[in-house]
Amino acid sequence: METDDRARTSPPPHVPADRLYDIDMYKPDGIETDGYLKAWKRLQDEKLPGLVWSPFNGGHWVATTGALIREIYTDPDRFSSQVLFIPKAAGEKYAMVPSKMDPPEHRPYRAVVDKGLNLRAIREREPQVRALAASLIDQFADRGTCDFVEEFSAEFPIQVFMTMADLPMEDSPKLRALASGMTRPGGNSPEEMAANLDRANKGFFDYVGPIIDARRGKPGTDIISLCVNTDINGAMMERQKLLGMISLLLLAGLDSVTNFMNMMMDHLGRHPETVAILRDNPEELRRAVEEMFRRFPLVAAARMIAKDIELDGVELKAGEMVLLPTPLAGLDEQQNPDPWALDFHRSRISHSTFGEGPHRCAGLHLARLETTILLEEWLRRIPAFHVVEGCEPRFESGVVASVDNVHLEWEAA
């Protein structure tokens, strides 16, 4: 029998016994047999209360409904972003801004990030993004098969971002490893995970420090130069905050979209009827992409409770953590009827895949563009495809889940 060596934390006295559930965000029950989304969805299927408490990863609350997840995301007065990774010991090592700031402090820093990621700026990059997607697909379209992860998703969004940041592509494997260390830190205890996350965070800072020094005070249109040469409240940005901001841009650009694409394409490779709808209705593709983001969420960030409050019939104490698994927003029947179905005519698409409130993902316009272009250029060259027989995806849960082993094939022209 396999032993469970995961560290457990005793519940505080104010946590009712009927709210105690063994939920490990880094290894949810069923992930190895049912996959990432079904493992999380099980919490709703089993009719758990809206807020439950887990003894794993330092002990924390878990929000299990879309309504609660949205309420917590949108209320920074009660739920702080000062610590947003679980376990809390690891989250306290996270030093990237402005994601760990609360309003109003975070607003001018968010405005800096938005300079290179606003809708207008992203639309201007569409020709380059489209050309890159087409060139990658052209390398294997005539072959009739591909390792989607290695040949496309591990290249496309990362090359897009490295180009936007004017960074050499040869640095991407190192940066991807650091991103994985941040969003899926290893370890069997909060202390081990904190040490691993701290090591990855410092790795990012060590990498971006010389880049900041080289570009500060010099004109440039890349996203890093735009940030390092923008003042905050009339003064130069502190170096430590610059390290955190540029590191956050790299972290956000190197992990989440890649894994979302893997999950989406594995699903499409098992549902030719859905592929046919996308292929035959290209005018509806952009709305379809939003439904994809609802259907394939993979983020589980957290918030720190800012003050003693009561919510969902339980006491929450200042300093405690609450996990917000976005699969339980997009796949909540109360938010989206028949949530497992990809319904491209859904009247109201409700999800928290990009977060909510003041910290809604700054890169959402880029993620939407990349996904739309992927589908347009792929279906133009490969109108029908399927998963290689016997191939099953591998999932790893975390702050951002990873999806691997996606092999596709089709009838070559």
Side-chain angles (χ1 to χ4, degrees), residues 262-282:
N262 295 342
M263 189 182 293
M264 177 185 73
M265 292 298 282
D266 178 79
H267 179 91
L268 293 178
R270 300 173 192 277
H271 294 84
E273 72 286 356
T274 304
V275 174
I277 293 172
L278 294 172
R279 180 186 64 237
D280 297 341
N281 299 276

mmCIF file of all heavy atoms in Angstrom, residues 262-282:
data_model
loop_
_atom_site.group_PDB
_atom_site.id
_atom_site.type_symbol
_atom_site.label_atom_id
_atom_site.label_comp_id
_atom_site.label_asym_id
_atom_site.label_seq_id
_atom_site.Cartn_x
_atom_site.Cartn_y
_atom_site.Cartn_z
ATOM 1 N N ASN A 262 -2.835 23.016 -25.082
ATOM 2 C CA ASN A 262 -2.701 21.555 -25.032
ATOM 3 C C ASN A 262 -4.017 20.897 -24.643
ATOM 4 O O ASN A 262 -4.439 19.898 -25.248
ATOM 5 C CB ASN A 262 -1.610 21.161 -24.037
ATOM 6 C CG ASN A 262 -0.235 21.639 -24.461
ATOM 7 O OD1 ASN A 262 -0.003 21.966 -25.624
ATOM 8 N ND2 ASN A 262 0.684 21.701 -23.517
ATOM 9 N N MET A 263 -4.670 21.444 -23.630
ATOM 10 C CA MET A 263 -5.932 20.876 -23.170
ATOM 11 C C MET A 263 -7.011 21.002 -24.240
ATOM 12 O O MET A 263 -7.776 20.060 -24.505
ATOM 13 C CB MET A 263 -6.371 21.563 -21.869
ATOM 14 C CG MET A 263 -7.558 20.909 -21.178
ATOM 15 S SD MET A 263 -8.094 21.788 -19.663
ATOM 16 C CE MET A 263 -6.687 21.522 -18.589
ATOM 17 N N MET A 264 -7.076 22.165 -24.874
ATOM 18 C CA MET A 264 -8.082 22.401 -25.897
ATOM 19 C C MET A 264 -7.895 21.479 -27.094
ATOM 20 O O MET A 264 -8.859 20.854 -27.581
ATOM 21 C CB MET A 264 -8.017 23.860 -26.360
ATOM 22 C CG MET A 264 -8.976 24.207 -27.486
ATOM 23 S SD MET A 264 -8.761 25.909 -28.113
ATOM 24 C CE MET A 264 -7.209 25.737 -29.010
ATOM 25 N N MET A 265 -6.667 21.356 -27.591
ATOM 26 C CA MET A 265 -6.437 20.560 -28.793
ATOM 27 C C MET A 265 -6.584 19.067 -28.521
ATOM 28 O O MET A 265 -7.024 18.315 -29.416
ATOM 29 C CB MET A 265 -5.071 20.883 -29.373
ATOM 30 C CG MET A 265 -4.972 22.289 -29.947
ATOM 31 S SD MET A 265 -6.110 22.609 -31.332
ATOM 32 C CE MET A 265 -5.219 21.788 -32.655
ATOM 33 N N ASP A 266 -6.262 18.612 -27.332
ATOM 34 C CA ASP A 266 -6.519 17.215 -26.995
ATOM 35 C C ASP A 266 -8.016 16.928 -27.048
ATOM 36 O O ASP A 266 -8.453 15.899 -27.565
ATOM 37 C CB ASP A 266 -5.962 16.891 -25.609
ATOM 38 C CG ASP A 266 -6.247 15.457 -25.185
ATOM 39 O OD1 ASP A 266 -5.535 14.549 -25.652
ATOM 40 O OD2 ASP A 266 -7.203 15.246 -24.407
ATOM 41 N N HIS A 267 -8.808 17.858 -26.516
ATOM 42 C CA HIS A 267 -10.268 17.686 -26.554
ATOM 43 C C HIS A 267 -10.779 17.695 -27.993
ATOM 44 O O HIS A 267 -11.580 16.822 -28.380
ATOM 45 C CB HIS A 267 -10.941 18.793 -25.755
ATOM 46 C CG HIS A 267 -12.436 18.711 -25.758
ATOM 47 N ND1 HIS A 267 -13.144 18.019 -24.798
ATOM 48 C CD2 HIS A 267 -13.360 19.227 -26.602
ATOM 49 C CE1 HIS A 267 -14.435 18.109 -25.059
ATOM 50 N NE2 HIS A 267 -14.597 18.838 -26.148
ATOM 51 N N LEU A 268 -10.348 18.645 -28.788
ATOM 52 C CA LEU A 268 -10.815 18.718 -30.171
ATOM 53 C C LEU A 268 -10.410 17.474 -30.953
ATOM 54 O O LEU A 268 -11.162 17.006 -31.819
ATOM 55 C CB LEU A 268 -10.265 19.973 -30.848
ATOM 56 C CG LEU A 268 -10.790 21.308 -30.322
ATOM 57 C CD1 LEU A 268 -10.126 22.472 -31.048
ATOM 58 C CD2 LEU A 268 -12.309 21.399 -30.436
ATOM 59 N N GLY A 269 -9.260 16.924 -30.639
ATOM 60 C CA GLY A 269 -8.817 15.716 -31.314
ATOM 61 C C GLY A 269 -9.637 14.489 -30.971
ATOM 62 O O GLY A 269 -9.498 13.449 -31.633
ATOM 63 N N ARG A 270 -10.484 14.601 -29.982
ATOM 64 C CA ARG A 270 -11.379 13.501 -29.600
ATOM 65 C C ARG A 270 -12.831 13.790 -29.987
ATOM 66 O O ARG A 270 -13.712 12.959 -29.746
ATOM 67 C CB ARG A 270 -11.291 13.260 -28.088
ATOM 68 C CG ARG A 270 -9.885 12.885 -27.626
ATOM 69 C CD ARG A 270 -9.751 12.811 -26.110
ATOM 70 N NE ARG A 270 -8.348 12.737 -25.728
ATOM 71 C CZ ARG A 270 -7.630 11.623 -25.714
ATOM 72 N NH1 ARG A 270 -8.209 10.465 -26.022
ATOM 73 N NH2 ARG A 270 -6.359 11.631 -25.375
ATOM 74 N N HIS A 271 -13.083 14.968 -30.559
ATOM 75 C CA HIS A 271 -14.454 15.362 -30.902
ATOM 76 C C HIS A 271 -14.487 15.967 -32.306
ATOM 77 O O HIS A 271 -14.548 17.195 -32.476
ATOM 78 C CB HIS A 271 -14.986 16.356 -29.863
ATOM 79 C CG HIS A 271 -15.159 15.757 -28.504
ATOM 80 N ND1 HIS A 271 -14.116 15.652 -27.596
ATOM 81 C CD2 HIS A 271 -16.242 15.195 -27.909
ATOM 82 C CE1 HIS A 271 -14.566 15.075 -26.491
ATOM 83 N NE2 HIS A 271 -15.838 14.782 -26.667
ATOM 84 N N PRO A 272 -14.472 15.110 -33.323
ATOM 85 C CA PRO A 272 -14.467 15.615 -34.705
ATOM 86 C C PRO A 272 -15.692 16.447 -35.045
ATOM 87 O O PRO A 272 -15.622 17.325 -35.905
ATOM 88 C CB PRO A 272 -14.406 14.326 -35.547
ATOM 89 C CG PRO A 272 -14.890 13.232 -34.625
ATOM 90 C CD PRO A 272 -14.442 13.638 -33.257
ATOM 91 N N GLU A 273 -16.820 16.206 -34.368
ATOM 92 C CA GLU A 273 -18.017 16.987 -34.642
ATOM 93 C C GLU A 273 -17.823 18.452 -34.247
ATOM 94 O O GLU A 273 -18.335 19.367 -34.909
ATOM 95 C CB GLU A 273 -19.230 16.382 -33.932
ATOM 96 C CG GLU A 273 -19.275 16.560 -32.415
ATOM 97 C CD GLU A 273 -18.303 15.678 -31.625
ATOM 98 O OE1 GLU A 273 -17.618 14.852 -32.246
ATOM 99 O OE2 GLU A 273 -18.247 15.815 -30.396
ATOM 100 N N THR A 274 -17.058 18.678 -33.179
ATOM 101 C CA THR A 274 -16.766 20.053 -32.777
ATOM 102 C C THR A 274 -15.802 20.718 -33.754
ATOM 103 O O THR A 274 -15.960 21.894 -34.094
ATOM 104 C CB THR A 274 -16.179 20.071 -31.351
ATOM 105 O OG1 THR A 274 -17.086 19.415 -30.459
ATOM 106 C CG2 THR A 274 -15.952 21.492 -30.878
ATOM 107 N N VAL A 275 -14.817 19.970 -34.194
ATOM 108 C CA VAL A 275 -13.883 20.493 -35.195
ATOM 109 C C VAL A 275 -14.649 20.904 -36.459
ATOM 110 O O VAL A 275 -14.381 21.957 -37.051
ATOM 111 C CB VAL A 275 -12.806 19.443 -35.526
ATOM 112 C CG1 VAL A 275 -11.921 19.924 -36.679
ATOM 113 C CG2 VAL A 275 -11.949 19.160 -34.298
ATOM 114 N N ALA A 276 -15.624 20.089 -36.862
ATOM 115 C CA ALA A 276 -16.403 20.399 -38.067
ATOM 116 C C ALA A 276 -17.178 21.697 -37.901
ATOM 117 O O ALA A 276 -17.271 22.501 -38.843
ATOM 118 C CB ALA A 276 -17.354 19.238 -38.377
ATOM 119 N N ILE A 277 -17.727 21.934 -36.719
ATOM 120 C CA ILE A 277 -18.457 23.185 -36.475
ATOM 121 C C ILE A 277 -17.517 24.374 -36.609
ATOM 122 O O ILE A 277 -17.851 25.387 -37.250
ATOM 123 C CB ILE A 277 -19.109 23.157 -35.081
ATOM 124 C CG1 ILE A 277 -20.218 22.097 -35.024
ATOM 125 C CG2 ILE A 277 -19.662 24.534 -34.718
ATOM 126 C CD1 ILE A 277 -20.781 21.870 -33.634
ATOM 127 N N LEU A 278 -16.336 24.273 -36.030
ATOM 128 C CA LEU A 278 -15.369 25.370 -36.115
ATOM 129 C C LEU A 278 -14.921 25.586 -37.555
ATOM 130 O O LEU A 278 -14.804 26.732 -38.020
ATOM 131 C CB LEU A 278 -14.163 25.047 -35.229
ATOM 132 C CG LEU A 278 -14.409 24.982 -33.723
ATOM 133 C CD1 LEU A 278 -13.181 24.455 -33.006
ATOM 134 C CD2 LEU A 278 -14.791 26.342 -33.173
ATOM 135 N N ARG A 279 -14.686 24.502 -38.268
ATOM 136 C CA ARG A 279 -14.207 24.597 -39.645
ATOM 137 C C ARG A 279 -15.270 25.211 -40.567
ATOM 138 O O ARG A 279 -14.957 26.029 -41.435
ATOM 139 C CB ARG A 279 -13.832 23.198 -40.140
ATOM 140 C CG ARG A 279 -13.311 23.152 -41.574
ATOM 141 C CD ARG A 279 -13.103 21.719 -42.015
ATOM 142 N NE ARG A 279 -14.363 20.978 -42.057
ATOM 143 C CZ ARG A 279 -14.598 19.852 -41.383
ATOM 144 N NH1 ARG A 279 -13.687 19.336 -40.572
ATOM 145 N NH2 ARG A 279 -15.769 19.238 -41.503
ATOM 146 N N ASP A 280 -16.515 24.833 -40.349
ATOM 147 C CA ASP A 280 -17.586 25.259 -41.259
ATOM 148 C C ASP A 280 -18.193 26.604 -40.889
ATOM 149 O O ASP A 280 -19.016 27.132 -41.647
ATOM 150 C CB ASP A 280 -18.689 24.194 -41.286
ATOM 151 C CG ASP A 280 -18.190 22.858 -41.832
ATOM 152 O OD1 ASP A 280 -17.136 22.857 -42.505
ATOM 153 O OD2 ASP A 280 -18.822 21.816 -41.550
ATOM 154 N N ASN A 281 -17.803 27.155 -39.756
ATOM 155 C CA ASN A 281 -18.368 28.440 -39.319
ATOM 156 C C ASN A 281 -17.256 29.384 -38.860
ATOM 157 O O ASN A 281 -17.227 29.816 -37.697
ATOM 158 C CB ASN A 281 -19.367 28.211 -38.178
ATOM 159 C CG ASN A 281 -20.537 27.333 -38.589
ATOM 160 O OD1 ASN A 281 -21.512 27.800 -39.146
ATOM 161 N ND2 ASN A 281 -20.420 26.037 -38.309
ATOM 162 N N PRO A 282 -16.345 29.723 -39.750
ATOM 163 C CA PRO A 282 -15.196 30.546 -39.339
ATOM 164 C C PRO A 282 -15.596 31.917 -38.804
ATOM 165 O O PRO A 282 -14.871 32.509 -37.998
ATOM 166 C CB PRO A 282 -14.376 30.669 -40.630
ATOM 167 C CG PRO A 282 -15.353 30.405 -41.735
ATOM 168 C CD PRO A 282 -16.313 29.403 -41.184
#
